[in-house]
Amino acid sequence: MGQIVLVTGGVRSGKSAFAEQYATHCAATHGAQVAYIATAQVYDEEMRQRVDLHQARRPSGWATYEAPFDTENAIRAAGAEHGVILFDCITMFLSNDMLQYSEEEQERDSFALHVEERIHALVQAAEEVDATTIFVTNEVGAGIVPEHRLGRLYRDMAGLANQQIARSAAEVYLVTCGIPVNIKKLAEVI
């Protein structure tokens, strides 16, 4: 059974860099290879720069799986050959998935169930493989309430997805100002 680690934090908090360091350490400790599952799609120059930054930091020996949609199968494929999987990121995956649906479909009460099912499929795939899967996600609900309906729905769905993954995770790190804190460990003490 695979182990799940969740790394969360705000934008530019250092969460991806920490997750990369964690993956490198985990791979070295267990003599494993790392697979990187990339969920981003490039639609503009700003996103191109973000993707380029992530690619430049990534060690050349890591296998990359481009998976903006069929992510659970990417986890299974990566887990068949690699002992460590870095999935970056849940919120980008969620955005990709949500935007496939019309506004009418998004507004249905059942849409939260749809998101829960999609996240469950990711968690289940990560648990099935013999690997440590590190999910990176954004903590989007700690800021200003979005002005538009889609932004509010996205914030709510991201919060629910993060909770769902955290329940299955052995470790949950909150990264802020570049400093990772294992909040699941802290929660056990309280």
Side-chain angles (χ1 to χ4, degrees):
M1 185 166 148
Q3 179 177 354
I4 295 173
V5 175
L6 180 63
V7 178
T8 188
V11 173
R12 299 284 195 218
S13 63
K15 64 190 174 299
S16 290
F18 168 73
E20 292 161 4
Q21 292 168 357
Y22 189 100
T24 299
H25 175 75
C26 188
T29 300
H30 300 291
Q33 298 295 314
V34 178
Y36 186 97
I37 298 180
T39 60
Q41 297 182 88
V42 177
Y43 291 114
D44 58 30
E45 185 55 32
E46 187 267 339
M47 184 54 83
R48 165 58 44 214
Q49 290 172 4
R50 286 178 182 267
V51 168
D52 289 348
L53 173 68
H54 282 251
Q55 289 174 339
R57 279 197 322 238
R58 213 175 300 151
S60 61
W62 289 12
T64 300
Y65 293 74
E66 300 286 343
F69 297 102
D70 191 21
T71 50
E72 60 270 21
N73 286 327
I75 290 171
R76 288 185 184 98
E81 298 184 26
H82 302 85
V84 179
I85 301 167
L86 177 52
F87 185 108
D88 200 351
C89 79
I90 289 295
T91 42
M92 188 62 65
F93 158 76
L94 185 59
S95 175
N96 296 340
D97 186 70
M98 287 179 64
L99 292 176
Q100 293 183 90
Y101 296 90
S102 69
E103 187 173 332
E104 179 182 301
E105 291 170 306
Q106 292 169 356
E107 289 179 355
R108 291 186 184 141
D109 291 339
S110 62
F111 196 73
L113 180 59
H114 162 76
V115 170
E116 182 180 325
E117 289 170 353
R118 294 294 289 134
I119 298 301
H120 175 75
L122 296 179
V123 168
Q124 184 175 19
E127 289 176 341
E128 290 172 1
V129 298
D130 187 21
T132 297
T133 302
I134 305 156
F135 287 108
V136 177
T137 190
N138 285 285
E139 203 55 50
V140 298
I144 297 170
V145 174
E147 178 180 355
H148 301 284
R149 180 207 57 80
L150 181 59
R152 290 188 299 276
L153 177 65
Y154 174 72
R155 174 204 57 194
D156 293 350
M157 296 302 103
L160 293 173
N162 291 349
Q163 288 182 59
Q164 187 176 348
I165 296 169
R167 283 191 296 273
S168 298
E171 301 173 36
V172 178
Y173 292 90
L174 171 64
V175 181
T176 187
C177 302
I179 301 169
V181 177
N182 186 336
I183 59 175
K184 195 148 192 178
K185 188 175 182 178
L186 286 175
E188 291 171 2
V189 176
I190 299 173

